[in-house]
Amino acid sequence: MGKIFLRETPLMHRDLSPQVRLRIILWRLLTLGVAATLIVLARGFPEHPFSKPVAVILGRFNIQVGILYFNHLLQFACFVIYNLDFWGSYRAGRLAATGSRPDWLDGSLSAMGLLMAVCFVLGFGLWTWAVFEVVLVIFLMMELWRFNVGLSRKLRRPGLMLPMSFITLIAVATPILKVPLAIAPGTELSWLDALFTITSAACVTGLIVQDTATHFTPFGQAVIAVVIQVGGLGMIIFGTVVAALVGDRMSLSENLSLSAALNGQPLSRLQGLVRLIVGSTLLIELIGAALLLPMWDGPLGIDQRIGLSLFHSVSAFCNAGFALYTDSMIPYRYAPLLHLVLGPLIVLGGLGFPVLDNLFRILRWRIVQRLAPRSIREARRPNSLADSRLSLHSKLVLSTTLGLYLFGVVFLSVAQFRPYLDPLTMEQPVPIAQVPALKPLTTHRVAAVLVDASFQSITARTAGFNSMPMEEIRSGGNFTLMGLMMVGASPGGTGGGAKTTTLALLLLSVVATLKARNSVEAYGRRISDVLLRQAATLAGCYIVLVGASTFLLSLSEPYPFIALFFESISAATTTGLSMLKSDEVLSSFGKSVIIATMYLGRVGPLSLLGALVFSTLPPRPYQFPQEDVLVG
């Protein structure tokens, strides 16, 4: 039979789902946005911003209470307008045009909001209005997702959704962090510093311009933690979960967007992988927080311990590096139990969810084969080898991760041992912060250097916690840290960097070239030339990004080149370590450069370039003649 060729038509690029009317969603967003703004004005300021102008006009003493009730009245009006429009659209059959349909969650939230408003009027307490405001915020999040759905159906380049979602997260969270409720009394926060902090949190970097522990209130720290969580998993993944709760079905464009966010995972496995991502993330972070509860030093209350545990568990798993201590983890420098919790959290977050999915499938299959009755074992036979063995991706990620850890431990130890070769220096006790809750591992110099090297080797791969002062790390150690930062985490994980598989493919390509092989092989499998070109391109993009950032910083900052180079690598790979001293502050131009570098490093130079330029270009139907050039 002859081959049938189909000519590509514009219809193939169009989503056949109902056309979404963005103006309807925008109207609802505007209504809920006004309500959210009123919440911020009432909750985020010690005195309502409109109280003084109104007092001047009306000349009344109890004007604050009046404005507060007027604020509540406007919030309730926004709630009523939103629900009338939403349920009116349902009655009129226009919900298909908004990309949503009513579900039990919509009905429950509407009923709860109305009930809480009535209870507040009847005098049941201020908590009822707080619950009402939470309902408004949930409605706003749902409409933001519906706007994301509609926009994804309109865009011809689904890859744009990922960078746009990070821009949206940064734009929404920056004003919230700027309200007085989020800033500690007696301190100030400029708009540029707020933008820097939120960008660092959204891109899970960890670089700061204001101390997280002292410059922000618990509310501000909670905002940073939420932004870290959302940025670590990705806005698109969170939106998919919200859509699943609402009951919406994803269109082809949404699936393509989610596939791009998950590093090209098959569309057939996206829903299951998203459930694994959210479920495993919450489970791992809760377990980590529970293990951290008794490990904090000082006379802390249970609420403070819970806050510290949750914040650092989220920060560690998302590879963010934010800490609620001014000097990061230095007070717990030789506390082995804390290292044994934070270290695995960092590694699990950096392995990538495809690897966690593979390991979970293998574990489930082996448990069934060993413990289940024969009838269940036969019914649960794996449909493919993926349920019973490690994939090539998992093997490369796990072996490269282990190799990088050992590389970091060895080279950091060698670099740090050099000053202590003098026997007199070796016998001096190690200065250890006294932590009554945790017994230090040892005061022996050799063991202390190994503990430092072990934790820094883990955290340098985009996590950003530092358990030792950066000024104590010698030149060889800084060089090792920069190499680890450039590699970063693994694809599909919460960290940044050029990725472990990129390093693995480049090394395998070198080995194949030295052995004069025609193809690159690993673990009995041949690797596509397309993947090798992508790895080389990704590494090249990070080199260009780091170079451009370093050059721009050198134009405006008066600090040593090595410190600026280290800062650029840390920002581009979303690590968060810094060689700058506490009194060395970047200029406004320098902060802007780091903000742009963190953003580009998070969304990925290759994905951003492909989304903006190459995503819609069809492949060439021809090839040029081949001609060789000299190499070396």
Side-chain angles (χ1 to χ4, degrees):
M1 295 180 63
K3 295 182 179 180
I4 300 177
F5 295 93
L6 295 178
R7 188 179 65 177
E8 193 177 66
T9 63
L11 183 61
M12 297 181 181
H13 296 285
R14 295 180 56 188
D15 191 355
L16 299 180
S17 57
Q19 292 296 316
V20 177
R21 299 177 184 176
L22 291 180
R23 63 177 181 270
I24 299 178
I25 306 177
L26 286 174
W27 163 250
R28 296 177 184 171
L29 277 178
L30 177 62
T31 304
L32 295 172
V34 171
T37 303
L38 293 171
I39 295 174
V40 173
L41 292 177
R43 301 280 183 178
F45 295 86
E47 183 180 1
H48 200 288
F50 297 154
S51 59
K52 291 183 179 180
V54 175
V56 171
I57 297 174
L58 300 180
R60 297 179 180 177
F61 293 99
N62 203 17
I63 198 65
Q64 182 73 14
V65 177
I67 287 182
L68 189 61
Y69 277 100
F70 183 70
N71 203 57
H72 292 346
L73 181 63
L74 288 180
Q75 291 179 27
F76 183 74
C78 292
F79 173 80
V80 172
I81 293 173
Y82 169 78
N83 279 274
L84 287 177
D85 181 79
F86 183 84
W87 295 103
S89 298
Y90 170 62
R91 295 291 299 273
R94 291 189 292 114
L95 280 179
T98 63
S100 59
R101 62 176 183 270
D103 197 76
W104 63 270
L105 184 60
D106 295 287
S108 301
L109 288 174
S110 298
M112 181 180 293
L114 183 60
L115 177 63
M116 291 297 104
V118 172
C119 291
F120 176 75
V121 173
L122 295 178
F124 278 80
L126 294 177
W127 66 270
T128 57
W129 195 257
V131 176
F132 177 81
E133 291 176 336
V134 171
V135 170
L136 286 176
V137 172
I138 295 175
F139 273 136
L140 177 62
M141 294 175 61
M142 293 168 60
E143 286 304 317
L144 282 173
W145 163 245
R146 287 169 181 142
F147 179 74
N148 184 36
V149 171
L151 197 60
S152 67
R153 293 176 180 176
K154 294 288 186 180
L155 289 175
R156 298 186 62 185
R157 299 171 179 172
L160 281 174
M161 292 304 301
L162 183 60
M164 289 176 60
S165 63
F166 276 92
I167 292 178
T168 303
L169 174 62
I170 295 170
V172 171
T174 300
I176 298 178
L177 191 66
K178 191 70 172 60
V179 300
L181 182 63
I183 306 171
T187 60
E188 296 181 356
L189 185 70
S190 65
W191 279 104
L192 183 60
D193 288 349
L195 177 62
F196 189 103
T197 303
I198 290 298
T199 304
S200 181
C203 299
V204 292
T205 303
L207 290 174
I208 59 174
V209 288
Q210 300 293 347
D211 182 22
T212 311
T214 60
H215 205 84
F216 299 101
T217 63
F219 173 76
Q221 295 166 357
V223 171
I224 293 174
V226 171
V227 173
I228 289 172
Q229 184 74 89
V230 177
L233 295 180
M235 289 283 288
I236 297 176
I237 299 174
F238 260 78
T240 304
V241 176
V242 174
L245 292 176
V246 177
D248 295 339
R249 298 180 60 185
M250 291 194 301
S251 66
L252 176 61
S253 297
E254 298 157 45
N255 274 299
L256 292 176
S257 300
L258 184 57
S259 179
L262 297 176
N263 295 275
Q265 289 294 310
L267 295 180
S268 60
R269 295 185 55 199
L270 288 183
Q271 293 284 4
L273 188 57
V274 167
R275 286 194 293 269
L276 172 69
I277 289 174
V278 177
S280 61
T281 296
L282 296 179
L283 178 62
I284 293 172
E285 289 177 349
L286 287 176
I287 293 175
L291 294 176
L292 289 173
L293 269 177
M295 297 187 183
W296 307 114
D297 183 34
L300 303 175
I302 185 61
D303 54 340
Q304 294 175 303
R305 290 186 175 274
I306 292 176
L308 284 171
S309 301
L310 288 174
F311 186 94
H312 288 95
S313 181
V314 170
S315 183
F317 183 79
C318 292
N319 281 221
F322 279 85
L324 295 184
Y325 290 92
T326 302
D327 44 4
S328 191
M329 293 292 105
I330 294 177
Y332 302 89
R333 181 173 181 177
Y334 300 114
L337 294 180
L338 191 71
H339 293 187
L340 290 176
V341 176
L342 291 181
L345 284 174
I346 295 170
V347 173
L348 289 174
L351 282 179
F353 293 106
V355 177
L356 296 180
D357 180 35
N358 191 194
L359 294 174
F360 172 75
R361 288 173 177 270
I362 294 173
L363 179 62
R364 182 180 60 183
W365 179 77
R366 290 188 176 181
I367 291 176
V368 170
Q369 293 300 312
R370 288 179 178 272
L371 302 179
R374 183 175 180 179
S375 58
I376 297 179
R377 292 201 304 267
E378 293 179 353
R380 295 293 300 272
R381 286 178 179 175
N383 298 324
S384 65
L385 292 177
D387 291 333
S388 59
R389 69 172 182 86
L390 287 174
S391 64
L392 177 61
H393 172 80
S394 299
K395 291 179 180 178
L396 289 177
V397 167
L398 293 174
S399 58
T400 307
T401 300
L402 178 59
L404 287 171
Y405 169 73
L406 296 177
F407 166 84
V409 171
V410 172
F411 280 81
L412 284 171
S413 298
V414 171
Q416 296 304 111
F417 267 134
R418 180 64 185 86
Y420 305 118
L421 294 181
D422 183 5
L424 296 179
T425 307
M426 185 71 72
E427 294 175 358
Q428 293 178 0
V430 180
I432 301 177
Q434 296 299 320
V435 184
L438 299 172
K439 293 182 179 180
L441 179 66
T442 181
T443 58
H444 195 275
R445 178 68 64 179
V446 175
V449 171
L450 290 176
V451 170
D452 285 336
S454 176
F455 189 78
Q456 291 300 132
S457 179
I458 294 174
T459 191
R461 302 252 322 287
T462 82
F465 292 111
N466 58 301
S467 61
M468 58 183 302
M470 293 299 295
E471 56 268 18
E472 290 187 14
I473 302 178
R474 299 180 63 82
S475 299
N478 288 326
F479 179 79
T480 304
L481 292 179
M482 287 190 285
L484 292 173
M485 289 192 299
M486 281 298 295
V487 177
S490 302
T494 55
K499 308 303 181 186
T500 54
T501 51
T502 299
L503 175 65
L505 293 180
L506 293 178
L507 292 178
L508 290 172
S509 180
V510 172
V511 172
T513 302
L514 294 177
K515 292 184 177 181
R517 292 178 178 174
N518 295 327
S519 60
V520 177
E521 302 170 355
Y523 296 102
R525 294 292 186 270
R526 183 173 58 87
I527 298 175
S528 170
D529 292 339
V530 175
L531 294 178
L532 298 176
R533 291 197 297 268
Q534 289 179 354
T537 304
L538 185 60
C541 288
Y542 270 98
I543 292 174
V544 171
L545 177 61
V546 171
S549 177
T550 305
F551 174 75
L552 293 175
L553 288 178
S554 64
L555 297 179
S556 61
E557 310 306 315
Y559 309 123
F561 170 80
I562 186 63
L564 299 179
F565 187 46
F566 193 98
E567 198 83 2
S568 297
I569 294 178
S570 181
T573 59
T574 68
T575 303
L577 295 176
S578 177
M579 289 181 61
L580 296 178
K581 299 178 181 179
S582 58
D583 57 343
E584 295 177 340
V585 182
L586 294 175
S587 64
S588 298
F589 178 78
K591 292 177 183 177
S592 302
V593 171
I594 294 298
I595 290 173
T597 304
M598 290 189 295
Y599 173 76
L600 292 175
R602 178 56 179 159
V603 301
L606 184 62
S607 63
L608 184 62
L609 186 65
L612 294 176
V613 181
F614 300 114
S615 59
T616 59
L617 295 179
R620 287 179 175 176
Y622 60 88
Q623 290 183 343
F624 288 107
Q626 179 177 328
E627 184 174 351
D628 297 332
V629 296
L630 297 178
V631 177

